[in-house]
Amino acid sequence: MGNAQVTSTSQAADVQKRAAPDPGRAHETIVVLDFGSQYSMLIARRIRELNTYCELLPFDATRERVRDLDVRGVILSGGPSSVYDAGAPLAPDWVFDLGVPVLGVCYGMQLLAHQLGGVVAPGAEREYGPAIVEREEDSPLLTGLPATLDVWMSHGDRIERLPPGFVPLARSANSPVAVMADSARGYYGLQFHPEVVHTPRGKEILRNFAEAVCGCSGSWTSGNFIEESVTAIRAQVGSGRVVCGLSGGVDSAVAAALVHRAVGDQLTCIFVDNGLLRAGEAEEVVDTFRRHMHVELVHVDAAAQFLSALAEVTNPETKRIRIGNTFVRVFEREARRIEDARFLCQGTLYPDVIESASHGAGAAKIKTHHNVGGLPPDMKLDLVEPLRYLFKDEVRRLGEALGLPEEMVWRHPFPGPGLAIRVIGEVTADKLDMLRRADRVVMDEVRAAGLYRALWQSFAVLTDTMTVGVMGDFRTYGHALAIRAVVADDAMTADWARLPHDLLARMSNRIVNEVHGVNRVVYDITSKPPGTIEWE
């Protein structure tokens, strides 16, 4: 393609402005303003689960930021501040000028009270963890719920005086106002967190807010999204050619399938096989896209090139940089062979957009180890990011609707650097072979136990610790291998999975017997935080 180019990160926002409208944004929308709660993104996900479109914006988002949205309601999230502190973040004026319902959650409830004429003060006792809320009045927000609710509290302040027009709806042991309402204006406040699993009826409360209070119809579905995305992609791409870098993961696969649905043979996928994938994954990618979906696919076996780049490297960040740089060279070489390519399809998800915005960067932040990280500035391809307003669970539902195989759609998240960061220390062909065989045992046993879909991730890590063992009458000196399995909603936090002991025993027994070079297996019981899901 000679002079084909990829748009630099600094130009990404302009690219998006030139693009066709993002699917979903013309739908009934609830806006969540983020005041710093660890659960803010979870609120948005819960609203999306109700088939209502939702966007998470920073607390200081301007009126212009929501002007193109069909806003039907606003949710003010929790946060670590106290509303009476100097410099505490406040809700912008447009929240109350729009004339739409507002729901305050925890700090958000205290903001409603503080900004509308009430009084918030430190509580005599703090409430953290499980609590019971007793309802005192009926309201549209609590329709269909019992008189007492198990909830999750996380606050040290409480409302001492309600704002004009508000009445208390419920109380707890330490909060005389646990729920409040000004039903005439559609303003509601919850002192607890309805979005967390520890509030079992919380989703019903959010449904009541979205549907009964805000009047949302719940019409935002995968089918609608596909239809609108196809229209938007066609409008953006026109007759241009699109290239997509497939990684083997669900995000790039679904993005490619969606673009292919829209523009057909105008799409060429480039699968750079870095030799760092799990057992059988490269073959599955080729089979799915080339044979079943009839997508034009360029399969590049670059395993030797990546291994050479990783020789003698032990630092995790250096691994990432080497992998990213090698990918760039291989992808650039192949992309330049595609005549008249003008667009690059990327599997950017909504959490990536939120993360970028929270750091003040543009909406297309690309990590160094992602497949399109750091492409040369002289490659100007406009970005096509059809998934940029979706969460991972929505991407999976979309993948199913597009006809992708279940094994690909529900594959556990896989790091950009692949197995390179699950081999602790230097990466070699022998170590990768050991890890692949051990990882396959873990996957086989998890699936056989019926737990694969219940886990966010499960995998093996080949450590650089060598341990003494005994096999038969012989002393061995082999690698210690770790098994990692976690449960999570979105990987921002994660807990180690309480796998059955007999399952762990089967894994350990099979790995030690089937994987030459491993003589000890350990199980990682660290949550995130304080740990991370991956080891490197």
Side-chain angles (χ1 to χ4, degrees):
M1 63 187 181
N3 60 354
Q5 307 179 4
V6 137
T7 306
S8 66
T9 304
S10 63
Q11 296 170 297
D14 292 334
V15 171
Q16 293 304 325
K17 289 175 186 174
R18 295 197 303 272
D22 288 288
R25 307 195 82 219
H27 282 267
E28 301 163 339
T29 302
I30 290 179
V31 170
V32 178
L33 291 185
D34 180 12
F35 288 88
S37 169
Q38 61 180 316
Y39 304 127
S40 296
M41 193 183 295
L42 190 53
I43 299 175
R45 290 185 69 246
R46 293 287 181 255
I47 297 296
R48 296 276 192 93
E49 289 169 4
L50 303 173
N51 292 333
T52 296
Y53 185 68
C54 182
E55 283 201 24
L56 177 63
L57 302 178
F59 72 88
D60 56 356
T62 63
R63 191 184 306 267
E64 289 68 29
R65 180 65 181 80
V66 301
R67 183 162 289 159
D68 294 332
L69 298 173
D70 181 13
V71 180
R72 300 299 181 92
V74 177
I75 298 178
L76 310 178
S77 84
S81 303
S82 291
V83 295
Y84 46 77
D85 288 343
L90 300 177
D93 291 341
W94 61 260
V95 169
F96 308 107
D97 295 342
L98 285 179
V100 299
V102 180
L103 174 65
V105 174
C106 200
Y107 178 79
M109 172 179 174
Q110 295 159 14
L111 271 182
L112 282 178
H114 179 71
Q115 291 187 238
L116 297 177
V119 175
V120 178
E125 294 183 40
R126 296 193 261 182
E127 271 187 311
Y128 291 98
I132 295 176
V133 164
E134 299 178 1
R135 190 171 66 185
E136 298 175 320
E137 299 286 343
D138 289 329
S139 80
L141 188 70
L142 301 178
T143 296
L145 297 170
T148 61
L149 289 170
D150 294 323
V151 302
W152 186 261
M153 293 281 193
S154 181
H155 68 99
D157 297 330
R158 69 181 195 177
I159 295 172
E160 296 289 345
R161 188 180 74 232
L162 288 167
F166 281 80
V167 296
L169 297 181
R171 62 180 294 117
S172 71
N174 293 319
S175 295
V177 182
V179 184
M180 68 177 189
D182 178 346
S183 298
R185 289 186 286 180
Y187 292 171
Y188 295 88
L190 301 172
Q191 189 56 77
F192 55 89
H193 289 274
E195 69 275 18
V196 301
V197 294
H198 310 293
T199 301
R201 308 295 291 269
K203 191 170 181 178
E204 294 171 62
I205 296 174
L206 293 175
R207 183 185 298 278
N208 285 339
F209 179 70
E211 298 178 3
V213 177
C214 298
C216 295
S217 59
S219 61
W220 196 64
T221 64
S222 294
N224 288 340
F225 184 85
I226 291 173
E227 207 174 293
E228 293 164 10
S229 292
V230 165
T231 300
I233 292 165
R234 286 173 179 167
Q236 181 186 1
V237 170
S239 60
R241 290 201 62 79
V242 186
V243 293
C244 176
L246 284 178
S247 66
V250 63
D251 303 339
S252 64
V254 173
L258 189 54
V259 171
H260 185 252
R261 174 77 62 93
V263 300
D265 293 342
Q266 292 169 237
L267 171 69
T268 299
C269 289
I270 300 174
F271 174 41
V272 178
D273 185 353
N274 57 19
L276 303 172
L277 298 179
R278 289 168 289 200
E281 285 187 329
E283 294 80 4
E284 183 182 355
V285 170
V286 172
D287 186 65
T288 297
F289 281 88
R290 188 177 281 168
R291 295 185 181 87
H292 294 290
M293 299 185 67
H294 307 293
V295 174
E296 184 179 343
L297 177 67
V298 177
H299 178 203
V300 187
D301 183 355
Q305 194 170 338
F306 279 84
L307 262 181
S308 176
L310 290 169
E312 300 182 1
V313 174
T314 59
N315 181 276
E317 187 57 27
T318 304
K319 290 180 183 179
R320 286 177 163 86
I321 293 170
R322 295 278 184 92
I323 291 167
N325 290 341
T326 304
F327 175 86
V328 166
R329 288 194 295 273
V330 176
F331 185 88
E332 179 188 12
R333 182 188 69 214
E334 298 300 327
R336 289 188 186 281
R337 294 174 178 170
I338 300 172
E339 189 175 351
D340 298 327
R342 291 176 47 207
F343 297 91
L344 174 68
C345 170
Q346 226 175 249
T348 307
L349 301 192
Y350 195 39
D352 301 322
V353 176
I354 293 169
E355 179 189 0
S356 297
S358 69
H359 287 81
K365 179 180 178 181
I366 301 170
K367 297 178 182 177
T368 55
H369 61 273
H370 281 186
N371 284 345
V372 293
L375 288 174
D378 66 329
M379 289 185 66
K380 274 193 187 201
L381 296 170
D382 285 348
L383 295 178
V384 179
E385 297 177 303
L387 311 180
R388 70 189 314 269
Y389 284 99
L390 297 187
F391 289 106
K392 177 74 79 172
D393 53 338
E394 295 172 315
V395 171
R396 287 190 165 125
R397 289 198 296 272
L398 188 64
E400 288 181 320
L402 287 166
L404 286 172
E406 180 180 353
E407 296 76 14
M408 181 170 285
V409 171
W410 288 98
R411 177 180 293 145
H412 286 176
F414 192 58
L419 297 180
I421 59 166
R422 293 180 181 172
V423 171
I424 310 302
E426 184 182 3
V427 180
T428 66
D430 287 344
K431 288 181 179 179
L432 287 170
D433 181 60
M434 272 191 282
L435 181 55
R436 278 196 191 91
R437 286 186 286 137
D439 194 73
R440 172 163 271 176
V441 169
V442 173
M443 292 296 99
D444 287 349
E445 292 296 339
V446 165
R447 285 192 173 95
L451 295 175
Y452 188 83
R453 292 274 288 267
L455 299 174
W456 177 265
Q457 275 179 272
S458 55
F459 54 89
V461 177
L462 186 68
T463 79
D464 57 353
T465 298
M466 305 295 288
T467 69
V468 175
V470 176
M471 291 185 178
D473 295 324
F474 296 95
R475 173 189 175 98
T476 64
Y477 195 57
H479 286 271
L481 182 127
I483 296 171
R484 181 78 159 135
V486 299
V487 291
D489 282 324
D490 51 24
M492 295 183 69
T493 61
D495 193 15
W496 62 277
R498 273 61 171 176
L499 296 182
H501 290 178
D502 58 344
L503 172 59
L504 291 171
R506 285 196 302 274
M507 290 179 183
S508 176
N509 183 263
R510 283 192 58 192
I511 289 169
V512 169
N513 280 285
E514 296 175 22
V515 182
H516 180 71
V518 174
N519 68 355
R520 189 179 300 268
V521 176
V522 298
Y523 186 53
D524 183 349
I525 59 170
T526 311
S527 296
K528 175 188 178 182
T532 57
I533 294 178
E534 299 291 342
W535 276 37
E536 287 194 339

